[in-house]
Amino acid sequence: MHSALTPEEAMLVATGLGPRGRLSELSNSDLQTLIQTCSEICQTATSLAAGLAALRPIQTLTAAQSAAVYLYVPPHQLSALAASGDPPALIPVDDSAPSLEAEVYRTGRSVVWGGGPDETPGLRPAAPGASSAIITPLQVQDQIWGVLAAYREHTGFTDRDLAVLETVGQAVAVVVALRASISQQESLWAGAPLGMASFDLEGRFINANDTQAKILGVPLTELIGRSMMDFVGTSDAVRVRQLFTDQTLDTNPHSHLLTAHRADGSPLVVEAWTAPLTVAGATVGVQVALRDLTAERHATERLEWLATHDPLTALGNRRWLEHGFATMLADDAQRRLTLIYIDVLNFSYINETYNHDIGDHLLAELGRRLTRVLSDRAICARVGSDDFAVLLGESADDPPFLQLLEGIKSCFEQPLTVDDQVVSLRPAIGVALYPRHAPDWHTLLRMAAVAASQVQATGPAVVFHAEGASGHQSAAAEIAQRLPRALAAGYLEPFYQPIVDLKTSKVVAAEALCRWHDPDLGLIYPSRFIPLAEESGLIVSIGRFMLQAACRQLKQWQTEFARPSRVQVNVSARQFEEPDFPELVAEIIRTAGLPPGSVALELTESVLVRIRESTVDPLQALARHQVPVIIDDFGIGFSSLSYLHQFKVDELKLDRSFLEPAQNGMSSRDLLTAIAEFAKRLGMLITVEGVEHFDQIAALRRLGFQRAQGYALAPPASAPACASWLEQGKINPAKPAKAAGIDA
């Protein structure tokens, strides 16, 4: 920390008045100038040499050589002063030897001595050859810091001389007490995680710690003496000025959320706690403790953005589109709206033929193309893995609809090129109208999706809901019909993906993921059948099947391999609504012969919304049964931060979107750093899922994340195919020749 004046240095600087001066001849104006200058020097001087150099105005003011002024301090203070430079007019107070200076130091009473033998029997000034003296204590409340003395060789002093010396001594004593307070602050503030500072009543830095200087981006040596207003945002400037005025009148501490900026102009969001800085009962400034909330605020804003946007395309998501629907109707309840649903028919083939990176790039480019063709009365969102939707504030009978539809079709006419791969996308476009085809948002979205599903059967690239509503069974309906038979026939199978400790590379858990192998339709991914199972209620039976199968498999693995220690199973909102769900989970775990804590449940934030609206909290019951609860896809749903404080949640799984480059100005590295710090404060374990590159693994290790899951470590696989990592107990992925990492 920067070294400010010690109390002893402050005394010397404040009273180095000449060393000789005619105190009795100073005018009141000169005296006020002397006191003010003395105070300013003690507040701003940062070394003894600087203080002495700044005393030249005072020395000029007291140039007449008719009196000598000395400062007396206790002997233990001499070494500190002597180490700071040549201390003129500095004399130790010797309590063991009788002297007027020692007496004033002991009693705290001023003395005027004129040389008479009967004035002070047995006591004389310590200065040899003095024929007269005035001596006054430097006292703040009950503490005496030293004495101030003036001597003459031939002529005496008057009572006015003493009054002047006492006035200067009082000003010096107050400043000395302030410097003593600051010296105590320095020892307390060293290494503090908060930015600490003291300001005078004009808002200038008197003292600060290294954390404060780091937050503001200024070397500590350059911070002292600068105005706080140099770093305050324009929007809060008036408020901060008022804060200084209010704080001098109110002795209670206060908290403030302020916008500021660093020395380089980069923005800051800080929380400031303020309290008055008092000396001898008088308010002389303001003390401030500062916490930098910038990274935390950016992380919160990012989470809020992710709740309504798709990070890959920077388009809105389903929730954001629903909000747009409500907003359009709020402006005009009689308004007719058109929803255009776009399904990329060959996207699954592209992912399987090339890789997920190329698929992601194609979706991002398609999102940019769709954005360019939108009118000011239309909004676009990504509503599924390869599905988009455009909501138009017009009827399909109006000319803007045809213009927009042609624009959307043109987005698919030109092939896309990614990493030298030329790929053509084939769209299936479904159209549904509000209120003609649907009375509400959810029905409208479903009707448009059903219309899009008819494209494969009917041939045209665009199908209106009215055209596709009869004569053809949608693909979704066929899947919904087959699903109960698939569950009964054993076509559903758990796949397992390992979760790895980033420090040790050990497999610590495995997530059970449902797969459907249909003899006619082939492999069907959960994104196609889980929503239908939710809607029909079959998800309860599927969830019970997955939990029982995962428990049996974990018991078998632990018997054969003694690992992993835990399996994680996804549960839906419908399952949580079942009576005695926590007891059912506990019974399945006991029946499998597994110890408590060996099965964890993963649920999305939408489940927390249902729980909050319910009168029963199953999370408490699960905690009693020692079943850990993990929030899956954290950060892409609802108000994540508030739910973490409200519910009994053990761990978080960070959605893969946090590994993507940010769309709103914050790098993914900064965002992940903020989230890691946030989770650390809450004492929560975090697993980062969707890790697909070696460089991401290394970056997550550096940022302090504990666990990871993704294709870079191991893909989901059937139970027999997991033997390799079960036997070794750890996964060490080899670094590929070309890898993509978290942005720097």
Side-chain angles (χ1 to χ4, degrees):
M1 180 181 296
H2 183 71
S3 178
L5 277 176
T6 64
E8 295 83 3
E9 290 175 331
M11 289 183 213
L12 181 60
V13 171
T15 58
L17 296 180
R20 302 175 184 274
R22 292 187 299 172
L23 298 177
S24 60
E25 296 183 9
L26 294 179
S27 66
N28 288 335
S29 175
D30 289 341
L31 181 60
Q32 292 301 319
T33 301
L34 172 63
I35 295 172
Q36 179 180 352
T37 305
C38 197
S39 176
E40 290 177 354
I41 290 169
C42 288
Q43 290 189 27
T44 60
T46 56
S47 70
L48 183 62
L52 293 175
L55 274 173
R56 289 172 185 165
I58 296 179
Q59 294 171 351
T60 302
L61 187 65
T62 60
Q65 305 295 307
S66 61
V69 181
Y70 293 85
L71 173 68
Y72 291 80
V73 295
H76 70 273
Q77 299 174 356
L78 284 175
S79 59
L81 287 171
S84 302
D86 181 21
L90 180 67
I91 303 174
V93 176
D94 187 356
D95 290 327
S96 62
S99 69
L100 285 174
E101 293 78 9
E103 183 69 10
V104 172
Y105 181 75
R106 184 179 63 82
T107 64
R109 293 193 295 269
S110 300
V111 168
V112 178
W113 183 77
D118 298 327
E119 291 185 56
T120 51
L123 296 176
R124 290 184 57 81
S131 60
S132 59
I134 48 176
I135 307 169
T136 188
L138 294 177
Q139 183 171 355
V140 177
Q141 295 180 337
D142 296 329
Q143 184 172 0
I144 298 177
W145 293 85
V147 297
L148 194 61
Y151 306 106
R152 284 185 178 146
E153 296 179 359
H154 303 294
T155 59
F157 288 100
T158 66
D159 289 339
R160 170 164 169 73
D161 291 329
L162 177 61
V164 170
L165 192 68
E166 286 179 333
T167 302
V168 173
Q170 290 170 3
V172 170
V174 170
V175 175
V176 165
L178 173 62
R179 301 312 302 181
S181 173
I182 290 174
S183 295
Q184 292 175 346
Q185 288 174 346
E186 288 182 339
S187 61
L188 293 173
W189 292 355
L194 297 179
M196 310 295 292
S198 294
F199 299 87
D200 64 20
L201 294 178
E202 298 300 320
R204 293 185 295 261
F205 281 90
I206 300 174
N207 196 27
N209 68 352
D210 288 322
T211 305
Q212 179 78 276
K214 184 178 180 181
I215 290 174
L216 298 178
V218 178
L220 190 55
T221 54
E222 299 176 13
L223 191 59
I224 307 302
R226 287 190 65 171
S227 172
M228 179 188 233
M229 302 310 298
D230 293 345
F231 306 97
V232 174
T234 304
S235 60
D236 282 334
V238 174
R239 185 168 159 228
V240 171
R241 291 191 183 96
Q242 187 63 39
L243 180 157
F244 272 80
T245 302
D246 294 344
Q247 197 66 81
T248 59
L249 303 175
D250 185 355
T251 58
N252 297 315
H254 293 279
S255 175
H256 313 269
L257 190 64
L258 302 172
T259 59
H261 54 79
R262 297 183 179 87
D264 62 6
S266 56
L268 282 171
V269 179
V270 296
E271 185 177 13
W273 292 271
T274 60
L277 177 62
T278 59
V279 173
T283 299
V284 296
V286 175
Q287 302 179 82
V288 177
L290 212 64
R291 184 160 72 98
D292 185 0
L293 298 178
T294 308
E296 188 173 318
R297 173 61 63 89
H298 284 173
T300 301
E301 291 174 352
R302 174 70 169 165
L303 290 174
E304 292 172 351
W305 185 85
L306 286 169
T308 56
H309 287 78
D310 168 49
L312 179 62
T313 63
L315 296 173
N317 60 14
R318 186 179 302 222
R319 185 183 181 197
W320 183 78
L321 197 63
E322 180 181 0
H323 176 74
F325 175 84
T327 301
M328 289 182 181
L329 291 184
D331 294 338
D332 181 3
Q334 304 301 317
R335 194 172 187 176
R336 295 181 301 171
L337 306 176
T338 301
L339 184 64
I340 304 171
Y341 196 97
I342 308 160
D343 182 11
V344 183
L345 294 177
N346 57 336
F347 185 73
S348 296
Y349 170 78
I350 292 170
N351 264 343
E352 294 171 4
T353 304
Y354 302 103
N355 57 55
H356 287 280
D357 281 345
I358 287 183
D360 287 348
H361 283 297
L362 291 175
L363 291 175
E365 175 57 28
L366 180 57
R368 286 189 287 269
R369 291 186 178 186
L370 289 171
T371 301
R372 288 195 290 266
V373 302
L374 294 180
S375 68
D376 57 358
R377 294 174 64 82
I379 53 177
C380 183
R382 184 185 177 199
V383 295
S385 61
D386 54 2
D387 299 337
F388 297 81
V390 178
L391 181 64
L392 176 65
E394 305 276 359
S395 169
D397 300 327
D398 299 327
F401 166 72
L402 295 177
Q403 296 172 5
L404 177 59
L405 190 59
E406 289 304 313
I408 292 173
K409 291 163 67 176
S410 70
C411 294
F412 293 87
E413 292 173 355
Q414 293 295 324
L416 296 93
T417 302
V418 179
D419 290 346
D420 299 326
Q421 301 291 336
V422 178
V423 182
S424 294
L425 300 178
R426 182 179 173 224
I429 302 174
V431 181
L433 310 178
Y434 172 87
R436 185 190 306 175
H437 298 147
D440 55 56
W441 162 252
H442 295 287
T443 306
L444 181 67
L445 182 63
R446 187 167 68 252
M447 293 301 98
V450 168
S453 70
Q454 302 307 306
V455 168
Q456 287 177 310
T458 61
V462 180
V463 174
F464 279 78
H465 170 68
E467 300 168 21
S470 61
H472 297 282
Q473 182 185 38
S474 71
E478 183 180 3
I479 290 175
Q481 267 190 356
R482 287 175 174 263
L483 187 53
R485 295 196 300 269
L487 178 60
Y491 294 153
L492 300 186
E493 176 188 6
F495 271 37
Y496 299 91
Q497 187 171 34
I499 297 169
V500 177
D501 185 294
L502 288 173
K503 286 186 178 179
T504 64
S505 298
K506 291 182 178 179
V507 176
V508 293
E511 180 183 359
L513 302 163
C514 190
R515 294 292 186 264
W516 176 4
H517 295 274
D518 189 90
D520 300 321
L521 302 179
L523 179 63
I524 303 175
Y525 286 94
S527 60
R528 296 186 64 189
F529 67 86
I530 291 297
L532 298 173
E534 289 268 9
E535 188 173 335
S536 66
L538 192 61
I539 190 66
V540 175
S541 298
I542 294 176
R544 186 184 300 114
F545 158 74
M546 286 294 294
L547 182 60
Q548 291 171 333
C551 287
R552 289 194 300 268
Q553 187 62 66
L554 179 62
K555 181 64 176 178
Q556 179 181 334
W557 280 343
Q558 289 184 345
T559 301
E560 185 175 353
F561 301 102
R563 65 177 69 90
S565 60
R566 189 171 79 178
V567 69
Q568 298 174 190
V569 182
N570 292 278
V571 293
S572 70
R574 291 289 293 268
Q575 289 175 265
F576 266 89
E577 292 171 354
E578 289 293 300
D580 302 325
F581 173 72
E583 287 69 28
L584 173 65
V585 172
E587 179 60 29
I588 291 174
I589 295 173
R590 282 194 298 270
T591 301
L594 294 171
S598 57
V599 178
L601 301 184
E602 296 190 13
L603 57 147
T604 62
E605 294 170 78
S606 61
V607 177
L608 294 181
V609 176
R610 297 270 191 104
I611 294 174
R612 189 179 69 168
E613 295 171 352
S614 172
T615 57
V616 180
D617 182 4
L619 299 184
Q620 295 291 342
L622 289 170
R624 289 194 297 272
H625 291 301
Q626 300 181 52
V627 178
V629 172
I630 303 169
I631 300 299
D632 194 15
D633 296 333
F634 174 72
I636 65 169
F638 299 86
S639 303
S640 317
L641 303 181
S642 62
Y643 292 134
L644 296 183
H645 293 285
Q646 184 176 352
F647 296 110
K648 171 61 179 173
V649 175
D650 300 280
E651 300 177 23
L652 304 177
K653 288 190 78 174
L654 204 60
D655 183 70
R656 62 169 291 183
S657 59
F658 287 91
L659 302 178
E660 302 290 340
Q663 300 291 337
N664 62 342
M666 187 179 188
S667 75
S668 54
R669 181 181 297 276
D670 291 339
L671 179 61
L672 288 168
T673 300
I675 292 175
E677 179 61 28
F678 171 74
K680 182 179 179 181
R681 292 181 186 178
L682 294 181
M684 285 189 173
L685 188 70
I686 286 188
T687 298
V688 182
E689 58 183 342
V691 179
E692 297 189 355
H693 302 288
F694 179 88
D695 287 356
Q696 291 175 340
I697 298 173
L700 291 172
R701 283 190 180 120
R702 289 193 298 270
L703 293 173
F705 284 92
Q706 302 100 327
R707 296 180 176 182
Q709 174 184 355
Y711 277 77
L713 295 160
S718 63
C722 296
S724 61
W725 54 260
L726 283 167
E727 290 172 354
Q728 296 178 10
K730 55 177 16 181
I731 295 176
N732 292 301
K735 184 173 182 178
K738 182 180 180 181
I742 296 170
D743 53 20

